[in-house]
Amino acid sequence: MQRPDANDDHDGTATESTDSGTPGDDAKQTYSGFGVRRSLSQLAGVVRNDPADPQAIANLQAWVEGDIARIERHLDQELVGQRILEIGPGQGLERAHYLGLRNTVEALDMDAAAIGFDPGGWKAIWKTNGPGRMVKTIGREALVAHRLRRRWVEAVGGDEFILPTRHQGDICTWSNDGDPFDVAVSWSVFEHVAEPREAILATLRALRPGGVAMISIHNYTSFNGHHDIRSFSGSDDERLLWGHLRPATESFVEPSAYLNEWRLQDWRELFDEVLPGHEEHLGYPVEQGVFEAALDGPIGQELTDYDREELLAVNLVYVGRRP
């Protein structure tokens, strides 16, 4: 069973963690800083859920276009000629390319990145994130990424794949040397941030007054909010369904990244405070009925401390203007 964006191999983060999965001061290890074996397992999942498949391309395009429409409603104009910051794009820069067709895009990520044949970039990834991330990056490039970029350009337009201006750093401490941004976007990043409030406030500070923030979060209490690689690789093991929330299966789950464990109500309270007048959009699994049925059985009986809304919602999207 897969998340709605299982074919979207987005794995960038903007937080500080160690290989143990807990925040640490000694290392800036983020997503995939957890060894070669598990990186290879994740890479195998990427190949099985081929993000360059035409249907996967169409799904991602529709997703991005939906988010663009939400941004435009708050901008009160088309998303054209804007200065955009994407936080935590990871190795896949498909969204940045699409946004960059008609805007200027800069990207900020804690991780080093390498696009194409880039031995220097691979060395930086090894130093920053360890051999596991480097192996996954090289494998993803060889098996999927080049084809994905070509098909993405064919689908959304452009003469060639547009790379954003990239910065490496932590949003909480990053100093923007240019003008304030008109728009800030992030997909599946802030659930990995140890201090979400500070990170969101820093994101808003990067915007001009009236600028628009669009933050999409992978919900911790969703069926695969644990970020166990097996769940993203097509595993049907029922122990992974909300496994991190169920005492009987908690020890079976192996999170692949640091998670701050914020629940839906935590995010609602934060955005009510810092982004008044925002919109909230909840995204649910493609096969929602399957998960509703699971909650009607023994699994649901183990999850009585959670409500249906927070258990079924996979993506939490918040869009609003900086005051």
Side-chain angles (χ1 to χ4, degrees):
M1 297 179 181
Q2 300 171 2
R3 60 185 282 192
D5 57 332
N7 287 338
D8 175 34
D9 184 43
H10 172 86
D11 54 10
T13 59
T15 185
E16 193 175 305
S17 66
T18 65
D19 285 346
S20 64
T22 57
D25 296 327
D26 297 332
K28 296 277 187 178
Q29 299 269 355
T30 56
Y31 218 116
S32 289
F34 45 77
V36 173
R37 179 185 63 83
R38 292 174 70 188
S39 290
L40 288 173
S41 175
Q42 190 177 33
L43 179 62
V46 171
V47 173
R48 283 196 298 272
N49 299 313
D50 185 5
D53 176 81
Q55 187 58 56
I57 293 285
N59 291 344
L60 180 56
Q61 182 177 355
W63 186 359
V64 177
E65 289 174 349
D67 286 336
I68 288 174
R70 292 166 181 162
I71 293 169
E72 290 178 335
R73 283 200 300 272
H74 286 267
L75 275 177
D76 293 327
Q77 65 181 83
E78 284 191 286
L79 191 59
V80 177
Q82 304 295 306
R83 191 161 182 262
I84 300 175
L85 173 66
E86 181 177 358
I87 300 166
Q91 304 294 314
L93 298 167
E94 293 83 21
R95 293 179 176 93
H97 165 80
Y98 197 174
L99 295 171
L101 289 171
R102 301 198 297 172
N103 303 276
T104 300
V105 180
E106 298 187 30
L108 174 68
D109 203 298
M110 286 285 292
D111 289 343
I115 305 298
F117 181 76
D118 184 4
W122 300 338
K123 181 178 179 181
I125 291 171
W126 179 298
K127 182 178 180 180
T128 302
N129 300 102
R133 182 56 176 265
M134 187 196 72
V135 167
K136 183 195 168 190
T137 298
I138 294 174
R140 185 180 186 276
E141 183 66 35
L143 298 173
V144 174
H146 178 74
R147 180 164 45 91
L148 170 58
R149 290 194 295 269
R150 175 173 53 79
R151 290 186 177 177
W152 185 243
V153 170
E154 291 172 355
V156 305
D159 296 327
E160 59 183 3
F161 195 84
I162 301 170
L163 292 177
T165 299
R166 288 177 286 172
H167 309 278
Q168 188 174 353
D170 185 334
I171 184 59
C172 291
T173 58
W174 181 59
S175 296
N176 173 28
D177 294 331
D179 295 332
F181 292 92
D182 302 300
V183 176
V185 295
S186 182
W187 286 273
S188 300
V189 171
F190 285 96
E191 65 270 18
H192 303 293
V193 174
E195 300 292 343
R197 186 177 187 277
E198 286 71 14
I200 296 296
L201 287 173
T203 300
L204 296 178
R205 287 195 297 270
L207 291 169
R208 61 170 173 79
V212 173
M214 198 292 304
I215 307 296
S216 179
I217 297 158
H218 186 168
N219 183 25
Y220 174 71
T221 55
S222 63
F223 75 94
N224 61 1
H226 45 59
H227 282 66
D228 188 308
I229 290 170
R230 292 168 292 183
S231 188
F232 297 96
S233 302
S235 173
D236 288 324
D237 193 319
E238 284 198 349
R239 290 174 293 179
L240 291 173
L241 295 179
W242 299 280
H244 56 313
L245 307 181
R246 299 157 54 197
T249 56
E250 186 177 13
S251 62
F252 174 73
V253 173
E254 298 179 347
S256 60
Y258 168 75
L259 296 165
N260 56 41
E261 302 185 10
W262 273 38
R263 292 171 63 171
L264 176 56
Q265 188 58 33
D266 297 319
W267 293 111
R268 284 175 168 170
E269 291 175 359
L270 174 61
F271 282 101
D272 283 345
E273 174 194 351
V274 304
L275 200 62
H278 68 271
E279 295 179 12
E280 176 189 78
H281 304 271
L282 304 184
Y284 294 93
V286 174
E287 299 176 336
Q288 183 174 338
V290 173
F291 298 99
E292 290 177 333
L295 291 176
D296 288 334
I299 290 177
Q301 296 173 14
E302 298 181 67
L303 298 169
T304 55
D305 290 339
Y306 306 87
D307 62 45
R308 282 284 180 114
E309 184 178 48
E310 66 175 332
L311 289 172
L312 289 172
V314 177
N315 295 308
L316 318 176
V317 180
Y318 297 91
V319 191
R321 297 175 70 110
R322 174 189 167 178

